[in-house]
Amino acid sequence: MDAEVTIFDKIVAGQIKANIVYQDDLCLAFHDVNPQAPVHILLIPKQRNGLSQLSKAQEHNKEILGHLLFTVTKIVELVDELKNGFRIVINDGENGGQSVWHLHIHIIGGEQLTWPPGSSGNQKK
Ligand code: AMP
């Protein structure tokens, strides 16, 4: 069972307002309240169904996981600024920097993105 209600459950329920980009029966995409790039969209499953984070995924989550990735392409079609490229990110767990315990895909773009992404500089030689 999913224990804690997260802020994303409240967005799905309409209790907290979000700037919605796309939705269907299974998923919802909305602009991140603290954007890290000119375009920063979050894509979530409407039902958490155990997916508090990617590493908790089980066999029964395979369909929604595929649906979320496919939905990224629909969102890119809707948002002109993503047409030249974008990045998707899933933060997992404490070391991954996850802060909301409801699986979400960050869709980031609208400018030239740099690589590699954030690290403390403690890379292995
Ligand atoms: P993560 O750190 O990967 O768990 O990402 C959580 C994201 O949720 C962060 O980028 C936050 O800025 C974003 N966020 C938190 N609350 C809201 C909200 N009410 N509306 C939109 N985005 C939110």
Side-chain angles (χ1 to χ4, degrees):
M1 282 300 291
D2 294 335
E4 308 260 320
V5 170
T6 74
I7 197 145
F8 293 169
D9 292 305
K10 292 182 180 172
I11 288 173
V12 171
Q15 292 160 354
I16 291 181
K17 274 201 189 308
N19 188 354
I20 291 172
V21 177
Y22 175 88
Q23 66 177 313
D24 60 26
D25 289 349
L26 300 177
C27 64
L28 178 69
F30 50 94
H31 289 281
D32 195 294
V33 79
N34 183 24
Q36 302 301 314
V39 179
H40 186 169
I41 293 167
L42 299 174
L43 174 61
I44 68 171
K46 285 185 170 172
Q47 303 279 335
R48 197 168 4 142
N49 208 7
L51 281 175
S52 55
Q53 61 194 96
L54 182 63
S55 57
K56 301 280 191 217
Q58 296 188 10
E59 200 69 23
H60 68 263
N61 300 124
K62 279 165 74 171
E63 193 173 335
I64 185 64
L65 289 171
H67 183 76
L68 289 169
L69 272 189
F70 184 65
T71 300
V72 170
T73 66
K74 293 193 172 175
I75 292 167
V76 171
E77 279 170 21
L78 291 174
V79 181
D80 280 347
E81 298 97 311
L82 295 175
K83 293 216 164 84
N84 259 351
F86 59 91
R87 182 173 297 155
I88 61 172
V89 172
I90 299 175
N91 295 325
D92 187 285
E94 196 178 332
N95 275 6
Q98 185 175 1
S99 62
V100 179
W101 302 95
H102 181 135
L103 178 78
H104 47 286
I105 298 178
H106 297 259
I107 306 168
I108 298 165
E111 65 181 2
Q112 179 64 58
L113 301 173
T114 58
W115 188 263
S119 160
S120 63
N122 293 330
Q123 296 94 337
K124 281 190 180 150
K125 296 273 186 262

